[in-house]
Amino acid sequence: MFILLLMVMVLLVPSSTEVIFMKEPVDSEVLAGKTTKRFDCILKASSLSGLTVNWIHIDQNEREREYPFDEITKTKETYTIVGKTSEGDFSLIISNATETDAGVFQCKVRQEDGVVFYSTKGTLNVLFPPADGYPQCSSSKLQNGKTELNCIVDLKASKVNMNWTKRGDSKSLGQDAQVRELSTTITLNDNDNGVVFRCSISGESVDSDMFCNVTPMSLPPSVLFRTGLTETSVAIGGSVTLKCDSIGKPYISKLRWFYGDRPIVRTFGRFRLSMDNTILDISEMTENDHDKPVTCEASIPSGLATNITRFLNIFKVVTFKPQTMSPASNHQLSSQNSLLILVMSGLSAIFILLIIIVCMCYEKKN
């Protein structure tokens, strides 16, 4: 009798519907302003009727809010249920993600009898890309003689993967790190003169390769035309010679000549280069060569270069020839000379006569 009564009670008490989460939220990242991946909440139950499905959001300040799936878009315009709820898919996506959307998301299912089922938790991390102009590189000399390289992104940016490399060497200087600032200390030598060091950043918040460069040692080579062996002023048909001296750290790796914008890379035509490239001769000068720039450029292995320019001065040689006169011209010139002598003689006689008159007047007065 007791067993029969117990069976009747069991039949009269409504049984709970077993809820199974077929897919649940997982951790994900999204760039600020972009749309998230799906936060899955796919259910399997003997009956979906009578189930209440809500989404729970716990923000970064640990404030918890609960949104009924059928009202969530009214409360949060950027939150959308994208699954077919009639088939048990209550998955969520977030568009135009902002910092306030970051945090934990969890799917909550309540039965009519009050039994509650919770999905696993998925954490959303909203990423902020570096601002324009970042990363920024700098270098500073330390008291111990070493050099510190520093690379930063703005404080609002999410942490990124940073690493320092030296041009021509893909090996990282120091340890790579996911940070907003990365410094490394190096010892420079003459071979580092003009060498570029690069800080590269990467990560989910970086759309494309971003980097900055710094050249901690920059001592340009010196270059000059040697006095006495450089002559750029010459007559038409002559030749000019230019001697280029240069010095640099660690050494001069290349010496190049230019005639105007035209590079002179070898001996040809009227251009002749010395074996060591330090002397350039240009022959058969013409008027077209006048005021043309001739440039010597010296560079070191890193590519750091300096140049010096001289302008050509090409002039004509003027020859003066004695002029011959015709007999008629000689006769005319002789007549002119005779007339001049006659006038000068008359003037002289008048001057002497005046002196005599003055002297006579003076004696009478005394």
Side-chain angles (χ1 to χ4, degrees):
M1 187 68 180
F2 175 75
I3 295 175
L4 181 62
L5 180 62
L6 183 61
M7 292 177 63
V8 171
M9 290 178 64
V10 169
L11 292 173
L12 292 176
V13 175
S15 60
S16 296
T17 301
E18 184 181 5
V19 175
I20 300 175
F21 289 98
M22 304 301 294
K23 283 190 177 182
E24 302 176 81
V26 295
D27 295 345
S28 66
E29 294 180 330
V30 64
L31 276 174
K34 302 295 184 179
T35 300
T36 65
K37 297 178 181 178
R38 286 169 52 114
F39 282 106
D40 287 319
C41 180
I42 300 178
L43 311 176
K44 182 179 180 182
S46 56
S47 175
L48 295 177
S49 61
L51 296 181
T52 302
V53 181
N54 293 348
W55 274 99
I56 297 173
H57 177 221
I58 305 172
D59 66 19
Q60 291 177 306
N61 295 318
E62 298 186 351
R63 292 175 299 198
E64 181 176 323
R65 294 196 65 178
E66 192 168 324
Y67 304 99
F69 82 91
D70 53 352
E71 297 180 4
I72 192 168
T73 304
K74 296 178 183 178
T75 308
K76 298 283 288 186
E77 293 182 354
T78 57
Y79 288 21
T80 305
I81 301 298
V82 292
K84 293 183 178 180
T85 57
S86 60
E87 298 178 4
D89 189 350
F90 299 88
S91 300
L92 170 71
I93 63 168
I94 302 169
S95 58
N96 194 25
T98 66
E99 190 173 10
T100 58
D101 297 318
V104 174
F105 287 85
Q106 187 177 33
C107 192
K108 174 183 175 182
V109 181
R110 181 188 295 274
Q111 296 183 149
E112 287 182 326
D113 60 3
V115 177
V116 178
F117 298 87
Y118 291 95
S119 70
T120 58
K121 295 178 179 179
T123 300
L124 176 64
N125 184 20
V126 180
L127 304 175
F128 294 86
D132 292 342
Y134 287 91
Q136 293 181 351
C137 292
S138 62
S139 65
S140 57
K141 194 78 174 284
L142 303 178
Q143 291 183 349
N144 58 6
K146 294 186 176 183
T147 298
E148 182 181 68
L149 306 177
N150 192 46
C151 181
I152 63 170
V153 295
D154 57 297
L155 294 177
K156 290 184 179 180
S158 300
K159 291 182 179 180
V160 294
N161 298 317
M162 283 187 176
N163 76 298
W164 277 100
T165 55
K166 179 180 176 179
R167 189 178 66 181
D169 187 354
S170 59
K171 184 180 178 181
S172 294
L173 303 174
Q175 295 293 323
D176 297 358
Q178 190 172 50
V179 290
R180 292 188 182 90
E181 181 174 2
L182 179 65
S183 298
T184 188
T185 302
I186 59 174
T187 301
L188 298 174
N189 56 49
D190 287 350
N191 290 322
D192 294 317
N193 185 22
V195 173
V196 173
F197 289 79
R198 171 171 292 185
C199 173
S200 302
I201 65 173
S202 60
E204 293 295 328
S205 65
V206 182
D207 285 335
S208 58
D209 292 339
M210 300 179 70
F211 59 87
C212 58
N213 295 328
V214 65
T215 307
M217 181 189 291
S218 183
L219 302 174
S222 61
V223 58
L224 55 85
F225 288 122
R226 185 181 297 184
T227 304
L229 291 179
T230 297
E231 180 57 56
T232 55
S233 184
V234 68
I236 291 176
S239 62
V240 296
T241 300
L242 298 100
K243 174 70 169 72
C244 188
D245 289 332
S246 57
I247 187 171
K249 287 185 178 183
Y251 58 88
I252 298 299
S253 58
K254 185 183 293 185
L255 201 64
R256 299 198 302 168
W257 290 91
F258 295 87
Y259 174 74
D261 296 329
R262 175 185 177 185
I264 307 299
V265 296
R266 59 185 175 83
T267 295
F268 70 97
R270 60 198 188 100
F271 298 93
R272 299 185 63 83
L273 286 171
S274 62
M275 293 295 294
D276 59 2
N277 248 30
T278 60
I279 300 177
L280 172 65
D281 288 317
I282 309 175
S283 61
E284 302 175 10
M285 307 305 293
T286 68
E287 291 183 359
N288 294 331
D289 294 312
H290 181 67
D291 217 26
K292 282 280 189 178
V294 179
T295 301
C296 175
E297 180 186 84
S299 58
I300 59 177
S302 66
L304 196 61
T306 305
N307 63 65
I308 187 171
T309 299
R310 282 282 185 89
F311 290 88
L312 300 179
N313 177 30
I314 311 302
F315 57 86
K316 292 182 179 180
V317 176
V318 180
T319 304
F320 292 96
K321 295 182 179 180
Q323 295 183 351
T324 59
M325 301 182 67
S326 63
S329 298
N330 287 334
H331 176 73
Q332 183 178 5
L333 182 59
S334 177
S335 299
Q336 291 174 350
N337 289 339
S338 299
L339 180 60
L340 181 60
I341 294 172
L342 181 61
V343 171
M344 291 300 295
S345 299
L347 290 176
S348 298
I350 294 171
F351 180 71
I352 294 172
L353 181 60
L354 288 174
I355 292 176
I356 294 172
I357 294 171
V358 171
C359 291
M360 292 175 64
C361 292
Y362 180 77
E363 289 178 355
K364 288 181 177 180
K365 187 176 180 180
N366 291 331

